[in-house]
Amino acid sequence: MKLNRLNKISLAMIVFMLCLLALCLPVASVQAEQPIYYGAPNAAPNRVTAQALMSNNLTYTSKQVLIDNELSVMLPQYYDKAVIFPNGCPAVAGTILIGYYDLYKENLIPNFTSFIKRGSNVIFKPIGNEIQAVMSDLFDKMNVNKVQLGATKDDFKLGLKDYVQSKGYNIAYNSYLNSTNIDYNAIANSLNNGNPIAVFTGACNIISELNIGDTSLKMTTNYNNTNHIFIASGIKRINFYNGNSLIRTDTYLKVSTGLENPFSGYILLENIRIDDIIGVVID
């Protein structure tokens, strides 16, 4: 009897200690990290912080260009012209990639050529029914607004892969962000090889005009209050000096924004939250 009673007491104490241990566990260890959805406005815009981090004017005595690379062809400038894809930046970004690669993979957009060649120059056609159809297909394949407003990075990648494979091609993604470290040379090499870059960011300033002179830098910015996906066609990385002292290092990506205004521009990587940077290869 006494032994059974002791066993019951011991069991109760063990259960009590396990419960106490569970209560002491950090919340982060039992909660899954929430995915980021791109395309939907942020609930609490942080415009002041974003703008405070960026000086629209900078003076210096000299500059050193570390990297300056671009695609040989300008990207398409697509956006939701019909205004029928709410929170649809993932689908628009994917359509920009499809329109660009249609230059090399002619069946990516059935019964349609996305570009016009004038001598050695390539000009992408404006948005029409065929481009809107691609956008609509990707909007569905990327599950935009089906779980929450917008779509996740995985939704974007899987939806784009589904579309590309349905046209008989393959797609590969190469991340150039390791923790907080960006591989700038890998980005430059990707562009040299003709492969655009998809950039996943938080709310940020889009630079609609960028003038980098011999001794001064001036820019005009537009604030975009969404987690967003940009498609990049160029990279500039520059050191700015006063005498022998380094003032700062800026890295600008030239982007097709997927927005009507501005439809192209730059983003300053040192100024914004970067969730990932991936090279996209369709072959």
Side-chain angles (χ1 to χ4, degrees):
M1 275 300 257
K2 289 183 178 180
L3 184 60
N4 289 338
R5 185 178 178 187
L6 286 172
N7 288 339
K8 290 179 180 178
I9 292 172
S10 298
L11 180 61
M13 290 185 67
I14 291 170
V15 172
F16 173 77
M17 292 300 293
L18 289 173
C19 291
L20 185 62
L21 180 62
L23 289 173
C24 291
L25 286 173
V27 173
S29 68
V30 295
Q31 289 184 343
E33 185 177 347
Q34 296 299 309
I36 298 171
Y37 281 79
Y38 297 91
N42 288 302
N46 199 5
R47 181 188 297 261
V48 174
T49 300
Q51 290 185 340
L53 288 173
M54 176 182 285
S55 173
N56 284 11
N57 299 284
L58 178 69
T59 57
Y60 41 86
T61 58
S62 64
K63 68 178 188 290
Q64 177 189 17
V65 178
L66 304 174
I67 301 173
D68 190 358
N69 296 69
E70 286 191 24
L71 294 174
S72 60
V73 176
M74 183 182 295
L75 289 173
Q77 308 297 339
Y78 300 151
Y79 61 95
D80 180 15
K81 186 175 182 179
V83 197
I84 55 176
F85 303 117
N87 317 302
C89 97
V92 177
T95 304
I96 292 169
L97 289 168
I98 295 300
Y100 169 79
Y101 273 110
D102 187 67
L103 176 62
Y104 308 104
K105 312 297 178 185
E106 63 181 18
N107 295 321
L108 271 177
I109 306 177
N111 305 313
F112 180 73
T113 301
S114 66
F115 60 91
I116 299 170
K117 282 190 174 181
R118 294 177 178 171
S120 60
N121 295 324
V122 173
I123 300 172
F124 285 98
K125 296 176 182 177
I127 303 165
N129 292 336
E130 295 84 359
I131 297 301
Q132 289 283 157
V134 174
M135 212 173 290
S136 178
D137 196 357
L138 289 174
F139 190 86
D140 181 63
K141 283 180 165 58
M142 292 179 180
N143 296 319
V144 181
N145 298 338
K146 290 183 180 178
V147 177
Q148 294 184 25
L149 297 181
T152 67
K153 180 177 71 174
D154 284 344
D155 288 331
F156 170 85
K157 292 170 67 177
L158 291 172
L160 186 58
K161 180 180 180 180
D162 187 5
Y163 179 95
V164 169
Q165 290 184 338
S166 73
K167 307 307 176 189
Y169 297 103
N170 297 309
I171 189 167
Y173 301 110
N174 303 299
S175 179
Y176 302 132
L177 178 68
N178 182 11
S179 184
T180 58
N181 298 315
I182 299 172
D183 192 336
Y184 304 106
N185 290 323
I187 294 172
N189 289 336
S190 180
L191 297 171
N192 281 341
N193 292 328
N195 302 317
I197 308 293
V199 190
F200 300 78
T201 79
C204 69
N205 284 300
I206 300 171
I207 304 167
S208 55
E209 294 182 24
L210 177 64
N211 298 300
I212 304 174
D214 291 334
T215 58
S216 66
L217 176 152
K218 295 181 181 180
M219 64 178 75
T220 303
T221 62
N222 300 68
Y223 185 71
N224 180 55
N225 183 37
T226 64
N227 296 319
H228 199 68
I229 304 173
F230 296 94
I231 305 301
S233 62
I235 180 172
K236 295 179 185 290
R237 186 163 169 80
I238 305 171
N239 285 339
F240 297 100
Y241 295 90
N242 266 340
N244 294 324
S245 299
L246 178 65
I247 303 173
R248 73 186 198 199
T249 301
D250 286 3
T251 310
Y252 298 93
L253 292 186
K254 185 177 181 179
V255 295
S256 183
T257 67
L259 304 171
E260 182 177 7
N261 183 32
F263 54 75
S264 65
Y266 293 86
I267 53 175
L268 175 57
L269 295 188
E270 286 78 13
N271 177 246
I272 60 181
R273 189 193 82 222
I274 302 293
D275 301 322
D276 207 352
I277 301 177
I278 61 173
V280 182
V281 183
I282 297 176
D283 57 22

